[in-house]
Amino acid sequence: MNRHPKPPQVAGLYDPAREHDACGVGIVARLGGGPNHEVVAKAVLANEHLYHRGATGADADTGDGAGILLEIPDAFLRAEAGFDVPPAGRYGVAVVFLPRDDAARRAELERALETAVAEAGLEVVGWRAVPVDETACGRTAREALP
């Protein structure tokens, strides 16, 4: 019995540097490239069939945060952003939960994030307040809403 097996090596899409623990992960990809709604439909189906995705609770109306990672919907973002968006492929999007009830604290946190982004050699080109429908959240989620 080999007690010191050779560590995994980079092979195809696998890179051991990106290895980490995960609970309830499903991967659906279209290796041929290009957007395709079939991938989204299959990802939703996979998500529906993962019973334990890292968190469970007593509130049946509150999800566990599982989702689908998609490419940036450039046309949608341009239509909804409210600011000039760089050319497709030349920007990223971050989801940041900031206080909605404390404008001074929100502004302070935005400045801190913009400073950190600038220190990384990048630029924040805008902020977008995403509409929230709190009635779609379960009780547990509403109690912890950012």
Side-chain angles (χ1 to χ4, degrees):
M1 176 196 240
N2 184 356
R3 292 185 180 265
H4 302 287
K6 183 178 173 186
Q9 304 297 309
V10 173
L13 296 175
Y14 175 77
D15 182 348
R18 298 193 177 277
E19 187 73 40
H20 56 84
D21 289 343
C23 181
V25 173
I27 298 174
V28 178
R30 184 169 179 252
L31 300 179
N36 185 306
H37 186 72
E38 180 185 14
V39 174
V40 175
K42 286 182 177 180
V44 169
L45 183 66
N47 218 8
E48 290 171 351
H49 286 84
L50 291 172
Y51 171 72
H52 178 67
R53 297 179 297 236
T56 57
D59 178 0
D61 293 327
T62 297
D64 60 9
I68 302 171
L69 179 63
L70 301 169
E71 65 183 85
I72 297 171
D74 185 71
F76 172 80
L77 189 61
R78 286 180 191 289
E80 297 292 325
F83 51 85
D84 289 333
V85 177
R90 302 292 302 162
Y91 67 92
V93 175
V95 177
V96 182
F97 294 97
L98 297 170
R100 294 186 290 165
D101 58 351
D102 184 343
R105 179 70 176 140
R106 179 186 184 90
E108 174 188 353
L109 292 168
E110 285 179 356
R111 283 192 303 277
L113 286 164
E114 289 174 355
T115 298
V117 168
E119 288 173 357
L122 303 170
E123 173 189 7
V124 173
V125 296
W127 294 89
R128 175 177 178 256
V130 177
V132 176
D133 178 2
E134 293 182 19
T135 64
C137 299
R139 176 188 45 80
T140 305
R142 271 193 308 279
E143 289 171 2
L145 256 165

